[in-house]
Structures are given as structure tokens and as C-alpha cells.
Amino acid sequence: MNKLPAIHICLIHPADYLYADALLDPARYFYYQFSRLSSNTSFEKNVLRRDAVNFIFGAHNGFDPGLLRDHCCILVNLEQLADNGADVGDYYRKLLRHTIVVDYDRRNPPFYSNYPEEVPIVSFGYAPYMSPRSDRAVPLQERPIDLLFIGILNDRRLDLIRRIESSGIRVHAMQQIAYGSARDNVLRQSKALLNLHSYDCSRFEQVRAFVSLSNGTPVLSELRPDTEAGPVFDACVTWFDEQQMLPLFSQDFGTPLFYQVMEQQLELFRGVDTLPEYSALLDFAAGVWKAHRPRMVLSEKITRIGRGFPSPLKSLSSGTLEVSTFSVEGNVKELAPVFQIIEDSDWHVEQFIHHEKYDHGLLEIIVAVTQHHRQPGIAGHARYYPSFDRLLKRMAESLPRMEKLCSPGEELESRGKGNDLSTDQVPGNRPNEQGCTPAQEATSLLVATDLCEEGSMLRLMQSLVEKTPNPVLYLTDLFGSYAKSAEAVQKLRVQFPGVSLVISRSSNLWDKAEELAALCHRLEPSKIWLCHHPQDAVAVLGALPCRSARRFWVHHAPGGPCLGASLAELEHVDLDAETQRACSRNLNRDCSLLSESV
């Protein structure tokens, strides 16, 4: 056996490409298997190593063949190559012909290699790091989604879905592009995944199947004459052709026998380990490294081939949900865990903090929550993001010292190039000649994201303004509603006549947080009321450094998870008794009740 080289997994991740993470799961699986073989294995997006064999995922999205001169590379092809398969273009086909390739389907290599029998073939099996914790696994028959479809809807797929739904089965087609944990949460609430072939060549979609089965969700797949899945998936997947389709969904689907068979398939798949295939691939990589090494200039330095990203992997050895630091009742009927941990985004944010890219970290959190909290089974069941909350606490430690932001007696300055902070006069709270602020102890700072022209949020804020002395209303304007519309600002002034109003004009998220922290330092409020939108990380972050004030986190959106809910530093306030009891139980703390009439 050749001496094992270092292995590096590289995922080509073009900027602003919506489907850039589509190959994240197979790349993670390669990383998992090579790590088990005790190899020196790393994984990053858009990064190549000169001292390792680089397995390239997503080369069809753009890869410079000139990089092959100084880097030892093996392309991983997961495209369906055939005359009636994926349209990958001549560039990618030429790249495959002149590069060493590993494939997942033995019928692909003849379309790019003169020696197809020499192309290594590997498959995908059970990925234990995707498996839900046993106390969080929802029984198949209790899951709210009948059939989940993930993929692009073409005419052929739409026709098949309509025919299936005519049997009374509802098919949920994911409308949002989601990968990683956000997608897994939906998978785990589905009775089964529906797999329909996209191309006439009918290559079996192994990646989609192994992800679903590893998450504990059965797969029902279309079977066409050209479909070859291999012995593993033949036994672990329920197959149907056009003649069997309607009887399957109208008569068998949802019966006790159906669930029994599905559970047996899931149990069978949990025993599928493809490690021998990757051991052979590692030996193959060692031979490639030995052949390439003499003509390469070795260096420990890395080569970036696109926009820099942190590694998406922290650890694959632990379970996918870690909530041991909280008191959580183990209720298997929950549609989703009450504590949401989006591992991919968590790891990205940690890396952004490490590299002091706080604005990127805030954006990652906001986008993750926005995409996640309205998914089926999440809204109305999940409530908290403890990992994001802990990361916001870490970011708060990096906010500049308040006296550097704004000393007593100074006007609040704009934080950020070209950004204007709109600040009304704050009556009764301007420092006098001695630098003292009258009635500081009575100042209340009310923080919101934005306010609609009508609705419960507006009524809540109007009630708080009416009941609290000397109120100051601060809006993070996270979505730019007021920056884009002077009319919206004027309506806000009409809705809150005579109230001191501050609207952030910065477009930079970290600057917004600094502005709020500086405002807290200048006003020294006795109370801070946080009534922000669920995904507004800026409001939570900006209020955390102000430890001298009582900070009330108002749970006004109990139908979905919200940032800041799990922080012990903030006094948790609910607006109805049922939510108060649930939050007190889940958070293991006393939560206050504030009626909507305040």
C-alpha cells in the first residue's frame, strides 16, 4: 500500500450562486469517510492545497485547468452524463477528459473517458452525523408532511406530482432553496421523500436518497427502464413505475404495513457502510499523488480560487442536536425541537467571529433565521435559537468600549462611512453643563425593527410609549423600510406624536449594533424594551453591553423561534399565559407576563 497523502476536500462555491451548496452533502460524506481512515483530511470552500490530493466538488460551476499544474486534483463528478442527461457544456466535458475523475455511476465515464473501466466508482451510504437524536425522532405516522419533494419542478415532474395528489396524498414541494440543517428539519417532518427523475437518462439520485435515509426519512422513487440504483438502494428504497404509482399512493401509502416496511428499510440502511470503497479510493489517491509529486512545487500555502468561506465542518462525531445545557422535556410528538441549532450556519458564524468579520456573522444569522423559521413544522412549535444567542454574546464582547463610541455630553455620531443616523431631539435628556442628564433614571428605551401601519406590534409599542415615562423609540430599520421612504418616516411620527425617535440609517449591520450600543451609553436608560422581529440580531447585540439597565425581551411572536429568547441576561416577558408557561418550562426560569393591554 502506498504511503497515505493528505486529503483536501474543495467545494467550488461561486459568489451569488443560489445552488452553490447543492454538493455540500456529498462533500461532507467524503470528508467523513476519509477522516475515519485516519488520513490528514481538511475541507474548505474555494480553497486548494499544494501539499494534498484535492478532491474537487462542483467543477462544472467553473474550474481553471491551469491549477492542475501546481495542484494534485481529482474531480468528483456527480452530474448525469448522457445524450439525454444534464447539459453540462463542452467546457466541463473537456475538463473531465483531461483530468483524473472519480464518479458515482458506472454509466457516466464512457461519456468523458477513453478508459472508463479505470475511473473509480464510489457510492453513498449511511451518514450517522445526519441522524436525528432518538428522543427527537418523530414517528413516521405522526409527521405533518405526507410527501416531500426537493428539486427543480419541470413539466414532467409537475405532471407526476399532480397525478400522485389525485390519489389524495399531499405533496409538499420546497419553495425555498435550503441545504444543511435547515433542509434536514423539513425532511424529519416528512413521512417520505418523493424522488422523480429530472432527465430521460434516469440516473438514480443517490445523493438525495442517502441524505433522506440518513435523516430517518424513507424514500419513494420512480423506477424507469434505465434506472440502476445498485443493491443497497434496491433494498432500501420503495420503487414504483407509472403503472404502480396510483395503487401505491391510493391504497398502500399510510397503512400500518406501509410504515412497517419503511421502518425496516431505514433500519437496513443504517447498516450500510461504504468505508471499503473509500479505503480503495484513498489507495488510488496515493498512487495519483506519487505520480504527480515529482513535477510539483510543494508548498504549505493554500490557493484561494474564489470568495473566501470558512470551513463548514466543525465535528462530525457528535449528534446533530446538542441541547444538554437546557432543561428540555422529551416529547416525541413535537414536530420540531423547541431549541433550534442550525449547525452549518453556527460554524460559519464562529469562523467569522474568529476572523473579526462581525458584519458577515450577523448577516449569516439573519439569513439563516429568515429562511428557517417559517418552514413546515417550525412555526408554531420551535421557539429558541440558543446557539445563535451564545454567538451574539460573544460578538457583544467585541463591541468597542462605550466611552470610545460616545462620551457623555457628546452628540451621537454616525457609525460607518457615509451613513447618517437620524436622531430627534430627546427632550429632558440632554446633558447639562456638568455632563449630567436630568431624569435619567426614568428614561425607557424601546427597541423595534420597524412598525407596520397597523397590527398588534404597533398597538404594543403605542401602549408601551403611553405607559412608560420619558420614552425613546429606536428602530434598527433592518430591512431599510425607512431609509427608502420619507413617507414611512412621516407616518411613524404621526403614530407616535411627541415621542423621541431614533432611526438607524446605516446599511452595515455591525454599525447598526454600535449605534444602538452608543445610544444606550448616552441615554443610560433605566429600562430597555426589546420588541424586535424574530431575526433581528442587531437589536439583541446592541442592547447586551448595557448592563446597568433592566432589559426586557418581549416575546411577541410566539408562533416561531426568535433571537434572544434564551439569554439569561434579558428578562423574558411573554404576552399570554400559555406562552409564559411554555417558556418558563423550556427555559427553566421564571418568565414574566405582560398583557397585551400593558
Side-chain angles (χ1 to χ4, degrees):
M1 176 175 169
N2 294 313
K3 182 179 179 180
L4 297 180
I7 300 295
H8 179 68
I9 311 298
C10 172
L11 176 61
I12 306 296
H13 198 288
D16 303 322
Y17 180 52
L18 293 176
Y19 303 98
D21 276 338
L23 297 181
L24 177 61
D25 293 301
R28 289 184 70 178
Y29 190 76
F30 267 58
Y31 175 85
Y32 163 69
Q33 294 290 27
F34 284 137
S35 297
R36 293 175 65 197
L37 294 165
S38 301
S39 62
N40 177 7
T41 307
S42 58
F43 179 6
E44 285 194 73
K45 298 177 181 178
N46 294 338
V47 168
L48 294 177
R49 285 175 55 182
R50 292 190 180 92
D51 63 335
V53 178
N54 297 271
F55 283 83
I56 312 298
F57 287 79
H60 62 286
N61 292 324
F63 183 80
D64 180 5
L67 294 166
L68 299 173
R69 290 191 296 269
D70 297 322
H71 301 83
C72 180
C73 297
I74 299 176
L75 301 190
V76 181
N77 176 61
L78 297 173
E79 294 297 308
Q80 300 185 33
L81 301 180
D83 294 333
N84 52 359
D87 183 13
V88 295
D90 292 337
Y91 175 85
Y92 182 59
R93 291 179 185 273
K94 183 177 180 180
L95 184 64
L96 291 175
R97 281 196 298 270
H98 294 87
T99 313
I100 298 174
V101 182
V102 57
D103 214 304
Y104 81 107
D105 193 301
R106 64 176 182 82
R107 294 171 297 172
N108 282 330
F111 289 91
Y112 58 78
S113 174
N114 294 327
Y115 306 96
E117 67 281 357
E118 295 183 7
V119 176
I121 305 297
V122 294
S123 57
F124 298 91
Y126 176 59
Y129 52 88
M130 290 185 183
S131 180
R133 279 179 25 175
S134 58
D135 62 335
R136 292 295 175 192
V138 183
L140 295 178
Q141 62 270 25
E142 296 181 18
R143 299 186 185 183
I145 299 173
D146 286 339
L147 277 176
L148 176 67
F149 176 82
I150 300 176
I152 298 174
L153 289 171
N154 55 26
D155 292 339
R156 182 179 174 280
R157 282 172 161 176
L158 278 171
D159 177 64
L160 289 172
I161 288 175
R162 292 191 184 102
R163 291 167 61 186
I164 291 171
E165 289 191 319
S166 69
S167 66
I169 303 298
R170 183 177 179 183
V171 179
H172 174 77
M174 287 189 67
Q175 298 299 308
Q176 292 180 323
I177 299 171
Y179 302 107
S181 301
R183 175 215 53 219
D184 292 348
N185 275 310
V186 183
L187 264 175
R188 295 170 188 176
Q189 296 150 51
S190 306
K191 294 181 175 70
L193 176 76
L194 177 64
N195 184 60
L196 303 173
H197 301 307
S198 179
Y199 305 108
D200 290 336
C201 66
S202 304
R203 301 278 197 271
F204 178 61
E205 293 79 359
Q206 273 196 42
V207 171
R208 185 176 297 138
F210 101 88
V211 168
S212 182
L213 292 168
S214 296
N215 271 281
T217 298
V219 175
L220 277 64
S221 180
E222 175 189 15
L223 179 65
R224 304 185 75 187
D226 293 333
T227 304
E228 292 182 11
V232 169
F233 292 103
D234 276 344
C236 297
V237 170
T238 296
W239 302 92
F240 62 89
D241 57 24
E242 291 198 39
Q243 286 73 35
Q244 299 165 329
M245 183 171 65
L246 289 182
L248 170 65
F249 292 106
S250 62
Q251 301 172 22
D252 299 333
F253 188 91
T255 64
L257 180 59
F258 171 84
Y259 292 123
Q260 183 180 350
V261 172
M262 296 299 103
E263 292 289 359
Q264 291 173 350
Q265 289 177 338
L266 291 174
E267 183 62 30
L268 182 63
F269 189 74
R270 282 190 282 270
V272 175
D273 191 350
T274 60
L275 187 64
E277 297 179 20
Y278 288 83
S279 178
L281 181 59
L282 189 58
D283 284 342
F284 176 82
V288 173
W289 175 253
K290 184 178 180 180
H292 280 68
R293 184 173 179 176
R295 60 185 179 86
M296 291 175 55
V297 178
L298 295 183
S299 170
E300 295 294 331
K301 295 181 180 179
I302 63 173
T303 302
R304 296 200 176 275
I305 56 176
R307 193 173 72 179
F309 280 86
S311 168
L313 300 178
K314 183 178 181 181
S315 173
L316 295 178
S317 59
S318 59
T320 56
L321 285 174
E322 200 60 59
V323 294
S324 57
T325 56
F326 295 89
S327 174
V328 182
E329 292 188 0
N331 183 357
V332 296
K333 292 186 178 180
E334 286 280 358
L335 300 185
V338 292
F339 295 95
Q340 294 295 306
I341 298 177
I342 305 179
E343 291 179 316
D344 301 331
S345 293
D346 291 347
W347 177 237
H348 288 165
V349 176
E350 285 183 357
Q351 294 302 295
F352 285 134
I353 293 175
H354 176 73
H355 294 290
E356 298 183 355
K357 297 181 178 181
Y358 304 114
D359 194 66
H360 291 73
L362 287 171
L363 180 61
E364 179 77 26
I365 291 174
I366 291 168
V367 170
V369 175
T370 301
Q371 292 180 342
H372 175 245
H373 83 290
R374 292 190 182 278
Q375 291 178 355
I378 301 299
H381 299 275
R383 298 181 188 272
Y384 322 102
Y385 288 112
S387 55
F388 282 158
D389 289 347
R390 290 195 293 271
L391 291 168
L392 288 174
K393 281 180 62 176
R394 283 179 55 188
M395 285 193 205
E397 297 171 358
S398 300
L399 280 171
R401 293 173 59 87
M402 294 300 102
E403 57 267 25
K404 291 184 179 180
L405 283 175
C406 182
S407 300
E410 293 180 350
E411 293 294 330
L412 184 63
E413 297 178 352
S414 137
R415 314 297 308 172
K417 184 177 180 181
N419 295 318
D420 215 7
L421 188 67
S422 174
T423 310
D424 282 355
Q425 296 295 314
V426 182
N429 281 276
R430 290 296 182 189
N432 57 25
E433 294 179 357
Q434 288 74 37
C436 298
T437 304
Q440 278 183 335
E441 68 281 3
T443 302
S444 294
L445 179 60
L446 282 63
V447 181
T449 305
D450 54 33
L451 295 170
C452 301
E453 294 184 27
E454 57 183 20
S456 59
M457 185 62 203
L458 176 63
R459 293 194 298 271
L460 171 65
M461 296 302 291
Q462 289 175 330
S463 297
L464 283 172
V465 165
E466 179 183 349
K467 301 292 183 179
T468 55
N470 207 6
V472 175
L473 178 58
Y474 175 85
L475 302 178
T476 65
D477 197 20
L478 187 68
F479 309 109
S481 306
Y482 302 105
K484 300 172 185 175
S485 172
E487 182 182 357
V489 176
Q490 186 57 38
K491 287 182 179 178
L492 193 63
R493 297 184 189 281
V494 173
Q495 292 167 333
F496 294 90
V499 176
S500 302
L501 177 64
V502 182
I503 303 176
S504 174
R505 295 302 189 196
S506 176
S507 59
N508 183 284
L509 298 171
W510 184 250
D511 288 347
K512 286 179 181 289
E514 286 188 354
E515 290 167 358
L516 177 54
L519 182 63
C520 292
H521 177 71
R522 196 193 82 188
L523 296 179
E524 296 184 11
S526 59
K527 296 181 177 67
I528 299 176
W529 296 84
L530 295 175
C531 306
H532 53 87
H533 285 15
Q535 68 269 60
D536 192 346
V538 170
V540 178
L541 177 60
L544 281 175
C546 190
R547 299 183 179 89
S548 60
R550 290 188 68 184
R551 294 162 294 179
F552 300 99
W553 186 94
V554 182
H555 197 183
H556 61 84
C562 305
L563 292 172
S566 68
L567 289 171
E569 291 82 357
L570 307 178
E571 297 187 42
H572 190 106
V573 179
D574 291 294
L575 299 184
D576 64 83
E578 181 180 354
T579 304
Q580 179 202 22
R581 288 191 295 270
C583 289
S584 297
R585 179 179 68 252
N586 292 325
L587 295 169
N588 195 26
R589 60 185 287 193
D590 293 330
C591 298
S592 303
L593 177 64
L594 181 71
S595 66
E596 291 197 40
S597 60
V598 192

